[in-house]
DNA sequence: CTGAAAGCGCTAACAT
DNA sequence: ATGTTAGCGCTTTCAG
């Protein structure tokens, strides 16, 4: 089963020009639509293009324009279920402006992150979108990248010196506090993940502000297993907690599951909420009340920022609460 | 917060040549390591490179070499939890051969799939990896792509005329049949997803062969919800079924959850197995016995095939069973 | 072993 | 409105 590949003799502007009986410049003008071109000549060019099956060479154009129409996206960990949806949105937004996405995965490692980001630079991408994997250890990289290419931090933000698009944490947290109040909950707790992840850090701060609670906080990592462990710890240390805000759906899923194993009813005895609106939020029983970030808009803004005129800034977009059954 | 970007004057081979007092040809020779070069001259070149901070321009090289060192990957649906892990593996394998990945998402739509695949071709990728989204409607595209660029089907295979790397379905299915026999199960059923997905189709056929059962088969889509619906249908139509093979973890998760809602014990009353070894397999309680495809090896093989000498072929690699608690 | 020069395919001055 | 030409930055014949 050999790969058959008829190496089609490449058709160039020169071939088209010859066939249409014009110069290569005219062909270029007709095709790019720049400057005025005689209608009759334009027709001849188009005919020649069709006849020859000419396709402009993206590589030559890129070298000439010094522009690759390609954006890089440094994702911290593609196996984190939040990111595939973001990747999808970014890819779509990029396509809308005729750009493609070079995807690289940092595997949650700042060293690896630097390595792959530098690959993107050497590839001459027109800009880089990055969700920095580490709150402090990624800062230098983000700042340095900003010196040689247009950079926008998306979702996770670690440097105020570089443009960013992120979702608001305060609004949804206030909303969750409202739900807790409305349903007469008395004691809230927060289960977060690594504080080295900017979003987790921000959510914890928002929790402290909106719930006025800084003690009942547990921090682990970004996994279902940690959620399970946290649930046990929670019950042991603060048996009367009746509202648990989790920094992600993975954690919330684990918390709920373990609470149920221990005979607690969710949400009757204890409410649990998640974050990110991933598959787990609806797979869980009860379904998880979670926070949906406006991924599509974030992607659109980020792509606009990164491809836009050097003038730039940062945007914080509002999230929405998706009420499941777990917050009763 | 303007994006600061000191437009570093580009350093070219010419600059290096000048500084080292040699010709651009020599610089190129020293840097590419081709041909013999005088040790002393080479040193001067390297010094100049360091002093000037020269970085070769990937674009110019690509135009000159007619080679982009970039591979395209057409993923059918990035939100399908199986694919992120595959993307990660492919990206790593590509990096190992100094290539990058342009990622495009077909969103399960053959028309979209064609559109994005053609973008990849126009981008002059050196090769395309594709998990075709449709068993029949993607065939023409795969065949046509093979005519203009090196193509390898990965995971999903729809055309025998184009190289492919896929996981074996028969072995793991036989293994599952073995588990069923060992645990004294009497009646097996299969819950699949769209038959238009090549893997789903292949798994169904393998089930029929290994379990000798063609009646107790339900087909829906690739979701937890379908799993839930299938469980209800299963119990209604064949109340004595005691072993359920599912074409994916999503389906298995839904089946287990719904069976439990209906008061059935898993695996005591009825065993359930999944496929793909995704997050859901370990998030589920009981954990799901599932099939792990050798993703890393598949990616490695596929990248080798697609970048390799035109001579090529297809590979089928063995999967392994990951026994969870759900198969009793 | 090294240099001069051509050329990958395209587009933007600069003529005409 | 159209043609001529230079050049993006690199590598690689072809000479010497």
């Amino acid at each position: 089963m050999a790969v058959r590949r008829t190496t089609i003799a490449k058709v160039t502007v020169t071939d088209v020009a010859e066939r249409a009986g014009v110069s290569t410049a005219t062909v270029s003008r007709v095709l790019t639509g720049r400057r005025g071109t005689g209608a009759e000549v334009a027709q001849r060019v188009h005919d020649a293009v069709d006849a020859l099956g000419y396709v402009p060479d993206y590589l030559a154009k890129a070298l000439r324009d010094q522009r690759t129409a390609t954006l890089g996206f440094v994702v911290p960990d593609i196996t984190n279920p939040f990111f595939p949806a973001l990747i999808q949105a970014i890819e779509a937004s990029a396509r809308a402006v005729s750009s493609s996405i070079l995807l690289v995965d940092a595997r949650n490692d700042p060293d690896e992150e630097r390595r792959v980001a530098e690959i993107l630079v050497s590839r001459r991408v027109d800009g880089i979108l990055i969700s920095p994997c580490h709150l402090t250890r990624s800062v230098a990289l983000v700042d340095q990248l900003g010196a040689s290419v247009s950079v926008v931090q998306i979702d996770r933000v670690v440097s105020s010196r570089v443009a960013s698009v992120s979702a608001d944490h305060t609004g949804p947290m206030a909303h969750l506090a409202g739900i807790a109040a409305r349903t007469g909950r008395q004691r809230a707790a927060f289960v977060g993940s690594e504080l080295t992840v900017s979003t987790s850090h921000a959510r914890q701060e928002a929790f402290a502000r909106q719930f006025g609670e800084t003690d009942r906080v547990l921090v682990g990592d970004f996994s279902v297993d940690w959620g399970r462990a946290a649930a046990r710890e929670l019950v042991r240390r603060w048996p009367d907690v009746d509202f648990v805000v989790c920094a992600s759906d993975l954690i919330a899923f684990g918390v709920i599951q373990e609470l149920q194993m221990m005979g607690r009813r969710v949400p009757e005895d204890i409410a649990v909420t998640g974050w990110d609106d991933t598959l787990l939020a609806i797979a869980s029983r009860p379904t998880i009340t979670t926070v949906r970030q406006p991924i599509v808009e974030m992607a659109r803004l980020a792509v606009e920022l990164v491809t836009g005129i050097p003038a730039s800034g940062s945007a914080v977009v509002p999230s929405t609460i998706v009420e499941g059954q777990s917050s009763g």
Side-chain angles (χ1 to χ4, degrees), chain A residues 185-207:
Chain A
R185 307 288 175 172
Q186 300 296 321
R187 281 183 177 65
F190 179 79
V191 181
S193 59
E194 301 96 327
L195 290 183
T196 59
V197 173
S198 79
T199 45
S200 191
H201 184 257
R203 286 164 199 170
Q204 179 169 340
E205 290 202 322
F207 173 80

Side-chain angles (χ1 to χ4, degrees), chain A residues 70-119:
Chain A
T70 303
L71 301 175
F73 180 31
V74 184
V75 64
D77 174 20
I78 195 178
T79 64
N80 175 330
F82 168 71
F83 287 102
L86 184 60
I87 293 171
Q88 186 176 61
I90 288 175
E91 205 252 313
S93 293
R95 208 144 67 202
V97 297
S98 305
S99 287
S100 297
I101 292 294
L102 272 180
L103 182 77
V104 291
D105 183 359
R107 293 174 178 247
N108 283 326
D109 174 356
D111 296 327
E112 184 73 354
E113 185 177 53
R114 171 175 293 275
R115 218 166 292 137
V116 297
E118 283 169 353
I119 290 176

Side-chain angles (χ1 to χ4, degrees), chain A residues 264-285:
Chain A
R264 300 295 198 287
R265 291 169 305 161
V266 178
E268 294 80 357
D269 301 334
I270 181 168
V272 180
T273 70
W275 212 291
D276 285 347
D277 191 33
T278 60
L279 171 66
L280 285 181
I282 39 172
S284 167
R285 284 297 125 99

Side-chain angles (χ1 to χ4, degrees), chain A residues 61-256:
Chain A
K61 190 196 292 280
L63 177 61
R64 163 74 222 196
D65 297 348
Q66 292 296 313
R67 185 171 171 283
T68 53
T70 303
L71 301 175
F73 180 31
V74 184
V75 64
D77 174 20
I78 195 178
T79 64
N80 175 330
F82 168 71
F83 287 102
L86 184 60
I87 293 171
Q88 186 176 61
I90 288 175
E91 205 252 313
S93 293
R95 208 144 67 202
V97 297
S98 305
S99 287
S100 297
I101 292 294
L102 272 180
L103 182 77
V104 291
D105 183 359
R107 293 174 178 247
N108 283 326
D109 174 356
D111 296 327
E112 184 73 354
E113 185 177 53
R114 171 175 293 275
R115 218 166 292 137
V116 297
E118 283 169 353
I119 290 176
L120 292 181
V121 173
S122 80
R123 294 259 159 182
R124 307 280 314 266
V125 293
D126 296 334
I128 292 182
L129 303 181
I130 182 170
S131 296
C133 67
H134 199 284
L135 187 60
T136 56
R137 295 182 59 204
S138 295
V139 177
L141 172 67
V142 170
D143 286 346
Q144 287 162 21
L145 285 179
S148 57
V149 66
S150 176
V151 177
V152 172
Q153 303 169 83
I154 183 167
D155 185 55
R156 300 185 183 179
V157 180
V158 302
S159 169
S160 58
R161 289 175 293 280
V162 170
S164 64
V165 176
S166 58
D168 166 53
H169 295 109
T170 305
M173 193 61 84
H175 192 140
L176 292 178
I179 291 178
R182 158 163 55 87
T183 55
R185 307 288 175 172
Q186 300 296 321
R187 281 183 177 65
F190 179 79
V191 181
S193 59
E194 301 96 327
L195 290 183
T196 59
V197 173
S198 79
T199 45
S200 191
H201 184 257
R203 286 164 199 170
Q204 179 169 340
E205 290 202 322
F207 173 80
R209 277 199 310 278
Q210 300 299 322
F211 281 83
E213 169 62 53
T214 54
D215 285 347
R216 291 190 292 268
V217 168
L218 296 175
V219 174
D221 61 33
F222 208 174
S223 71
V224 174
D225 271 343
W226 158 238
R228 293 188 184 117
R232 290 189 296 272
E233 174 120 2
L234 214 55
V235 167
R236 193 173 56 72
R237 292 178 55 179
W238 309 294
D240 53 355
V241 158
D242 56 9
F243 198 87
V244 183
V245 176
C246 302
S248 84
D249 289 345
L250 270 79
I251 296 171
F253 185 93
V255 166
I256 290 173

